[in-house]
Amino acid sequence: MAAESRSSPTPLLKDQLDIVIPTIRNLDFLEMWRPFFQQYHLIIVQDGDPSKTIKVPEGFDYELYNRNDINRILGPKASCISFKDSACRCFGYMVSKKKYIYTIDDDCFVAKDPSGKDINALEQHIKNLLSPSTPLFFNTLYDPYREGADFVRGYPFSLRDGAPTAVSHGLWLNIPDYDAPTQLVKPLERNTRYVDAVMTIPKGTLFPMCGMNLAFDRELIGPAMYFGLMGDGQPIGRYDDMWAGWCTKVICDHLGLGVKTGLPYIWHSKASNPFVNLKKEYKGIFWQEELIPFFQQATLSKDCTTVQKCYIELSKQVKAKLGKVDDYFNKLADAMVTWIEAWDELNPAAATSNEASK
Ligand SMILES: O=c1ccn([C@@H]2O[C@H](COP(=O)(O)OP(=O)(O)O[C@H]3O[C@@H](CO)[C@H](O)[C@H]3O)[C@@H](O)[C@H]2O)c(=O)[nH]1
Ligand SMILES: [Mn+2]
């Protein structure tokens, strides 16, 4: 009997997920990801000099946007997209037409699990996103929906359906995502600890969201994933993902959505320059002592029934309460509004459904 053709199974969410990569480098790292990424569509956001040619390895299906494209597509609204900072990646979220996004940095490679097996980070993120979260009651055996685990005794049955998962936050072996001061005092520290767990970040708790290995449900939370104004002309850098994470978590808590962190790991290969990072982070290190209480105390009214409405409401509070910390936050609050306007312009269907829920 002829051996049946063993075509490899269609990858999960093949036509429902885009991979967004911000880059100022070449994309050779994709060779290592080819087995896991090749069947997905890539959105490459080329930062820096648009006249530079970024070589994409053969065989990948992609669209590439440089700064000229961003300016052409958004016109004056392009002012909300950072230049010369990885924050530019959020343009990829806006132009995508898919339900899910995975974003990864170009210095992140395939890590190995303790058994030595290559980790398909994308597959794990998809599992995280397709299973519920438990933001209202902590399960001490971690992810109860995982094979071989469950809810522990005392876990209310009324809460076991969980909440829809909006965000899956992955981690990093080798170079951990430390801030500059920590990097300076521990230049040789490497993360070798593989913790085999995925857990939901409880409602009411903020977290430092790192953008280098991150997936999210674009339809559930996309408009909140604005990676704030950083880089060229801005007084701060390396807080783009943090800003998005704080806004996202407040909105997820308000809308009853879940955020998970833990598996999958990637191998982060490049330590960016701690001195350059210190300059970028400097103001953020003391500003965040005011930003965190702001987000912890932020409340959204019951009229905020969509992400866009929540985000606009949050932008007003940023202006009212953080504008006095530094004028940068007035600029950022305006950029948050511009981001939503641009999002709705590029995603009219979603915007109309947003209108409908008014
Ligand atoms: O001006 C730039 C600089 C970089 N990029 C691209 O963005 C990612 C991350 O760059 P890199 O790996 O050099 O920086 P890290 O310090 O390791 O990044 C971590 O800190 C956060 C800063 O916000 C970031 O989200 C984390 O991943 C690479 O793909 C670069 O090519 C850029 O587009 N523009
Ligand atoms: Mn890096």
Side-chain angles (χ1 to χ4, degrees):
M1 185 174 79
E4 60 204 31
S5 67
R6 287 183 180 283
S7 57
S8 51
T10 307
L12 273 173
L13 301 180
K14 175 175 176 304
D15 300 320
Q16 298 177 70
L17 180 141
D18 280 337
I19 299 173
V20 176
I21 305 164
T23 191
I24 46 169
R25 307 179 178 120
N26 64 58
L27 294 171
D28 297 347
F29 88 116
L30 285 172
E31 281 309 338
M32 194 173 192
W33 287 104
R34 190 180 288 277
F36 303 141
F37 286 5
Q38 178 144 16
Q39 301 220 43
Y40 291 91
H41 182 65
L42 310 183
I43 296 179
I44 298 159
V45 183
Q46 176 187 340
D47 193 19
D49 178 1
S51 65
K52 193 178 150 204
T53 305
I54 297 281
K55 214 174 106 18
V56 183
E58 288 297 315
F60 285 95
D61 169 54
Y62 70 93
E63 53 199 280
L64 184 145
Y65 297 94
N66 63 26
R67 193 68 206 188
N68 294 337
D69 300 315
I70 294 172
N71 294 337
R72 174 175 46 78
I73 292 164
L74 296 184
K77 294 193 180 72
S79 61
C80 75
I81 304 296
S82 299
F83 184 54
K84 293 191 181 166
D85 188 284
S86 61
C88 64
R89 74 174 84 212
C90 63
F91 179 75
Y93 312 157
M94 188 191 283
V95 291
S96 170
K97 296 291 167 245
K98 303 288 177 55
K99 177 167 172 54
Y100 300 98
I101 293 285
Y102 174 51
T103 188
I104 183 171
D105 290 4
D106 61 17
D107 65 343
C108 295
F109 294 85
V110 176
K112 291 188 180 302
D113 69 18
S115 74
K117 184 169 172 270
D118 282 351
I119 298 168
N120 182 344
L122 183 53
E123 186 183 58
Q124 180 63 48
H125 277 301
I126 290 171
K127 279 185 192 160
N128 293 350
L129 290 172
L130 294 183
S131 66
S133 297
T134 55
L136 301 181
F137 202 89
F138 188 77
N139 191 53
T140 47
L141 207 51
Y142 309 118
D143 182 356
Y145 304 101
R146 184 176 171 178
E147 190 66 32
D150 213 315
F151 291 98
V152 294
R153 179 168 54 87
Y155 201 100
F157 282 86
S158 59
L159 295 177
R160 294 193 184 195
D161 286 347
T165 300
V167 180
S168 171
H169 179 262
L171 298 173
W172 343 272
L173 291 172
N174 193 39
I175 308 284
D177 188 21
Y178 284 165
D179 52 45
T182 309
Q183 228 186 327
L184 282 165
V185 295
K186 303 174 115 180
L188 302 180
E189 185 147 301
R190 297 293 178 265
N191 181 28
T192 58
R193 198 161 38 138
Y194 180 96
V195 176
D196 183 7
V198 177
M199 53 188 90
T200 298
I201 300 171
K203 179 174 181 175
T205 301
L206 296 171
F207 76 113
M209 187 175 82
C210 171
M212 79 170 105
N213 173 24
L214 180 73
F216 59 91
D217 184 320
R218 189 175 165 279
E219 287 178 2
L220 283 182
I221 200 66
M225 280 288 180
Y226 174 48
F227 278 37
L229 271 184
M230 303 281 147
D232 201 36
Q234 306 303 337
I236 184 175
R238 290 169 55 83
Y239 272 82
D240 50 313
D241 38 7
M242 300 298 145
W243 185 262
W246 296 329
C247 293
T248 289
K249 189 62 172 58
V250 167
I251 293 171
C252 279
D253 287 352
H254 176 75
L255 296 178
L257 303 171
V259 176
K260 291 178 182 174
T261 189
L263 298 179
Y265 284 88
I266 50 86
W267 180 269
H268 185 207
S269 73
K270 192 185 110 358
S272 37
N273 182 311
F275 295 99
V276 170
N277 289 347
L278 186 57
K279 265 195 272 176
K280 291 180 179 178
E281 291 171 16
Y282 171 67
K283 290 193 169 183
I285 290 173
F286 53 88
W287 280 349
Q288 70 184 9
E289 297 306 331
E290 309 210 37
L291 300 183
I292 301 301
F294 164 78
F295 283 104
Q296 283 169 331
Q297 292 151 31
T299 53
L300 298 167
S301 71
K302 61 176 177 30
D303 308 338
C304 295
T305 52
T306 66
V307 177
Q308 284 91 331
K309 287 180 188 171
C310 292
Y311 206 75
I312 294 295
E313 174 58 29
L314 214 41
S315 73
K316 289 175 187 159
Q317 294 180 30
V318 166
K319 184 159 272 195
K321 296 180 182 171
L322 296 178
K324 49 182 171 287
V325 172
D326 189 279
D327 190 46
Y328 167 72
F329 294 103
N330 290 314
K331 217 165 71 167
L332 183 56
D334 292 341
M336 290 169 75
V337 176
T338 306
W339 160 262
I340 293 295
E341 289 169 350
W343 182 284
D344 287 347
E345 205 172 283
L346 266 61
N347 299 280
T352 345
S353 70
N354 172 28
E355 281 301 312
S357 67
K358 273 187 172 161

